[in-house]
Amino acid sequence: MSESTTPAGLLIDRVSKDLAGRTIVDDMQLEVRAGELTCLLGPSGCGKTTTLRMVGGFLQPDAGAILIDGVDVSRLAPEKRPTAMVFQNYALWPHMSVFKNVSFGLRLRRLPRREIRDRVEQVLELVGLTHHMNSFPAQISGGEQQRVALARALVLEPKVLLLDEPLSNLDAKLRVRVREDIREIQQRVGITTVFVTHDQDEALSISDRIAVMSGGRVEQYADPTTLYREPATHFVASFVGAMNFYTGTVADGAVEIAGGVRVPCEGARRNGGAPVEIGVRPEDVMVSTAGDGAEAHVLREIPRGHYKELVMQLGEAEVRAFVGPEVSTSERQRVRFARAVVYAEGVLRPSTEPAPLR
Amino acid sequence: MSVVEQAAVLPAARPRPRPTARSVALRSLGVVFVLALLVFMVGPILWLALRAFSNVWPYPRFLPSDWTMKWWHSVFADKSLGHSIKLSFEFAPVVTVASAVICLPAAYAFSRFNFPGRRFLLVSLFATNAFPKIGLYISMAGVFYTFNLMGTFLGVVIVQLIGTVVFMTWIPTAAFSSIPRSLEEAARDAGAGPLRVFFRITFPLAAPGIFVAMILSFLASFDEAQGTFLVGIPNYITMPTEMYTLVLNYPEQAAAVFSILLAIPSVILMSLARKHVMGGRLAEGFQIR
Amino acid sequence: MVLPPVAVVAVFIGFPVGAAIAYTLGKTGGPNSTIALIAQRQHVAKHGVTFAAYREVLGNAHVRGDLWATVWVTLLTIAAVVVLSWAIGLYVRLSDTWIARTVSALSVIPLFIPVVIASYAILTFYAAQGFIKTLAYHVGWHSFPTLGYTMWAVVIGEVWVNVPFGVLMMSSGLNSVPNALIEAARDSGASLPQTIRAVLLPMNVIPTVIVATFTGIYVLGSFTVPYLTGPSAPNLMGVSMSQFFQSFNQPQQAEVMAMIVFVLAAGLGTIYVWANMRAAKRASQTS
């Protein structure tokens, strides 16, 4: 999919894995460039954590290979791999202080005491926890524990950093802050990173590229903007962000959905008249009180703070629109689509895709 | 004050007392319960302890009328008693360590690997508990004669050891199972090999459970009388074995003194393990998973 | 890794138990030949097996008396330990006063005391000149019976020894019920007794089964408590078993009695295993 010229930081090469008789990862192919942060995004059971655990060496692939810097590491035990993992529950050792936790790997390598101390201090400074050096995991907050786990992984200077839903145990506000911290630290260190999450918001805001997984396969691997604007499959379109879906046909400058409702749509080009699936993002639904739009009835109005969500009846279908909080609405509205994506058999149709509105 | 007493003495006299009176009644019932429990649990021990210092204790008095230390002197002067005390302190640590060496690897395997027959083996270990010990000792005698273990140190160790296998396996199994695997994986990730992971991470975290099992094992060995008597006689007479003879042949006061001596290690060891025993380490071990 | 303890158990428990079964059926050769040399009144099977030893033992009125006594003491002890550990466990779970803490501390005291000493202490406490008689005398109840050397002393002793295990199991089980579940029941209008019946009781079936079965198995095979505190006859099977072996030199009869006790204990053990397996199955279904 990508045509990078730099050697791949990490290559997951046609890897498969069965667990308890079920195929969890199915002939998966993924390449993470050096210094890139890639998110594995998908619902639970899609194989994202299994993939991560295979990269870390906690599971052996049944088929395929895992290459780091072009070297096959598939058969290496976790302790021999140049990877470091941040676990979902942090997995801090409760019987060791923060210093002991972070220095564990360095002490195993029998480095000189001074060097251990220096490196631990450096990495704790990076995550902003020097003052908790002698605390025990139970004495610090969840966010701090999370950063200790990150420091423990970084201190070994791994080639690949693996994060397994690292933010899922934090509250919403902290989650946003810590994910920005993680992104900033990752950029500063320049480390190749694989980040597993089921939270699309998280994935969109910190990744260089996102691999959306379903049924053990990568559905789409793209940068956040492309992923959001041009979801390659119906699954990606419905999993990432909100989307109105209709079955209908595309004419020039309009789409026709069930019940014969004709909605004007900028840049729409005729696709031969065969029924297709039409996806419209709520922010691409233009609402006005007059004009040539299709007629819709407002069913509900949901205030969302900095915007407003309108739920409207459009013929036999429902349409959701995000509009500015200042937009005044009446019971009857005219609806136009600024942009729509079209799928046939669940796959994006580039040839019939309407040109985006500028 | 009068309300309290009334409610305590006549809890049934008023079928539907007012909420306040009812809560007072419940409270007093609690106090009565505690007092009864105190007498039931501690009474016998105190009663016996007093006896060790009594010279004359006529019925029906609550306390001896004449106190003495002479029973202590006579017990300490008795050579064979001293010898049995020494023996008990030799057997118990040996049995505990042997039991740990044999059972802890098994406990780890039971907790971490799901091999075929795992449940069956856990249950059969338990089944050994259900066969009456005396019946076991009688037919064990045959095996012991064959292996020339009768009257030997090793024979006594084995007899005491089999009484410890069950909880030396079960309790540490639960302790290992309560450690999240990710803690071990994180150590592997940091570069530690499987053995190092066990000794640096798994073992320290399971230590309280193992500690409880070892103390129970020590006390089981320390308390074991019947098997030790059958196998050890005449070379190895330990404290509890001696206790049977004492109870039947010596004055009550001497037996009381000996009881206190025999109880001291138990009290000390259990006090050390108290926190972990009460914290559910023991209870966890008794649910097969 | 599992092999060492399994081997120890197989050689020193499994094999002897197997030999014991053969011996009770009249097989005096092999591993039983040593014991058969000294045995009195032995029933030997010339061909196949013989149940003569079982017939003799079960035909003995004294042994039948011991067997009934054992069953009664076991059932009574189980009932008392289950009730006591529930009462103490509930009290400690639902109330956080100094009284509750004292109760929980008191109830584990027997863990600290070797059984030999406990039995001896209980005997003297309930003996003819013991504390209970003294107390009864001072409150004017002169005809209060002496419990020492009766089956009541045996029950008291067995309960005393088994209460800590019961309380620890029950407390651990009750503590694992989240407060939210109790509060939700209270919230939907249940009184405290109703909450106990509807939430705490069904959620603690397994610990209760464990307490009941382990107590039962312990009492069935016990020797020290009945030997020191009980009457000379009838007494528990554990005592008469060792009497048949040591005093009468009849190991075969003793082994037959061991088999009878084992069958009873195995019955309790089956309940324990069944309850655990059912719980494990349910847990795996929900997760």
Side-chain angles (χ1 to χ4, degrees), chain B residues 8-9 34 58 98 139 206 215 220 264 279:
Chain B
V9 178
V34 172
S139 62
I215 289 214
I264 288 171

Side-chain angles (χ1 to χ4, degrees), chain B residues 34 40-41 43 47 60 102 106 119 128 130-132 134-135 139-140 223 226 229 243-244 252 259 266 270 286 288, chain C residues 5 9 12 16 99 103 112 114 116-117 120 131 137-138 160 163 210 214 223-224 238 246 255 262 265 272 276-277:
Chain B
V34 172
F40 180 69
M41 286 290 166
W47 193 251
I102 291 171
R119 277 265 170 79
T128 64
F131 199 83
I134 306 138
S139 62
M140 248 169 67
D223 279 2
Q226 261 190 305
F229 178 76
M243 184 72 192
Y244 283 95
E252 276 188 341
S259 297
S266 300
M270 282 309 295
F286 283 84
I288 300 180
Chain C
V9 166
F12 293 106
I99 302 180
V103 165
F112 296 75
V116 189
I117 294 164
Y120 184 57
F131 173 82
Y137 179 89
H138 283 281
W160 196 88
V163 153
I210 294 176
F214 273 77
F223 169 79
T224 308
Q246 281 169 310
E255 288 290 22
F262 180 57
Y272 163 78
N276 262 292
M277 295 294 165

Side-chain angles (χ1 to χ4, degrees), chain A residues 173-330:
Chain A
K173 199 136 201 170
L174 201 55
R175 206 176 310 169
V176 172
R177 221 186 67 205
V178 175
R179 80 185 182 205
E180 279 163 12
D181 289 349
I182 289 180
R183 175 59 166 169
E184 198 209 305
I185 291 166
Q186 185 266 338
Q187 296 269 289
R188 212 171 338 149
V189 182
I191 186 171
T192 312
T193 302
V194 183
F195 188 113
V196 162
T197 181
H198 60 260
D199 183 339
Q200 40 122 351
D201 207 34
E202 211 165 278
L204 291 171
S205 50
I206 64 167
S207 315
D208 291 309
R209 285 196 286 175
I210 298 169
V212 179
M213 290 184 70
S214 166
R217 287 172 160 274
V218 176
E219 291 265 328
Q220 186 175 10
Y221 188 30
D223 64 274
T225 316
T226 311
L227 194 78
Y228 188 78
R229 298 290 287 177
E230 292 156 36
T233 63
H234 175 91
F235 175 82
V236 176
S238 57
F239 191 75
V240 180
M243 185 78 98
N244 295 296
F245 277 111
Y246 307 100
T247 311
T249 53
V250 182
D252 282 319
V255 294
E256 205 171 292
I257 61 170
V261 180
R262 210 182 131 85
V263 188
C265 178
E266 269 94 325
R269 276 172 291 152
R270 177 179 295 281
N271 72 332
V276 288
E277 207 167 9
I278 300 160
V280 183
R281 294 278 186 212
E283 65 270 26
D284 290 333
V285 178
M286 299 289 139
V287 176
S288 58
T289 43
D292 61 344
E295 194 180 278
H297 301 271
V298 176
L299 299 173
R300 281 194 304 281
E301 193 183 310
I302 308 160
R304 296 279 198 191
H306 59 284
Y307 67 92
K308 213 159 43 167
E309 181 174 349
L310 293 182
V311 185
M312 293 170 286
Q313 187 79 37
L314 182 65
E316 292 165 14
E318 235 183 48
V319 62
R320 282 168 187 267
F322 298 157
V323 298
E326 74 290 346
V327 173
S328 61
T329 50
S330 61

Side-chain angles (χ1 to χ4, degrees), chain B residues 45 88-89 92 211-212 214-224 239-240 258-274 277, chain C residues 108-118 160:
Chain B
I45 303 298
S88 277
F89 276 105
F211 182 60
V212 167
M214 287 183 82
I215 289 214
L216 288 180
S217 174
F218 189 97
L219 294 182
S221 157
F222 206 79
D223 279 2
E224 213 291 324
M239 265 165 93
F258 207 61
S259 297
I260 294 176
L261 290 177
L262 185 49
I264 288 171
S266 300
V267 170
I268 292 173
L269 286 173
M270 282 309 295
S271 310
L272 290 177
R274 186 180 165 277
V277 172
Chain C
V108 295
I109 281 175
L111 273 184
F112 296 75
I113 309 295
V115 179
V116 189
I117 294 164
W160 196 88

Side-chain angles (χ1 to χ4, degrees), chain A residues 53 79 85 93 108-109, chain B residues 183 185 188-190 196:
Chain A
R53 289 174 64 78
E79 64 267 29
M85 173 107 105
W93 301 303
L108 286 181
R109 284 165 180 72
Chain B
L183 290 182
E185 287 172 349
R188 288 293 292 275
D189 207 36
R196 218 189 279 244

Side-chain angles (χ1 to χ4, degrees), chain B residues 168-251:
Chain B
M168 205 51 158
T169 310
W170 280 14
I171 298 173
T173 297
F176 286 132
S177 296
S178 69
I179 301 169
R181 262 167 213 251
S182 62
L183 290 182
E184 293 175 334
E185 287 172 349
R188 288 293 292 275
D189 207 36
L195 267 183
R196 218 189 279 244
V197 170
F198 181 80
F199 284 109
R200 297 288 286 273
I201 307 294
T202 318
F203 188 80
L205 288 173
I210 295 172
F211 182 60
V212 167
M214 287 183 82
I215 289 214
L216 288 180
S217 174
F218 189 97
L219 294 182
S221 157
F222 206 79
D223 279 2
E224 213 291 324
Q226 261 190 305
T228 312
F229 178 76
L230 287 173
V231 175
I233 214 157
N235 306 335
Y236 298 101
I237 310 277
T238 57
M239 265 165 93
T241 328
E242 193 79 74
M243 184 72 192
Y244 283 95
T245 336
L246 268 173
V247 169
L248 302 173
N249 304 330
Y250 279 64

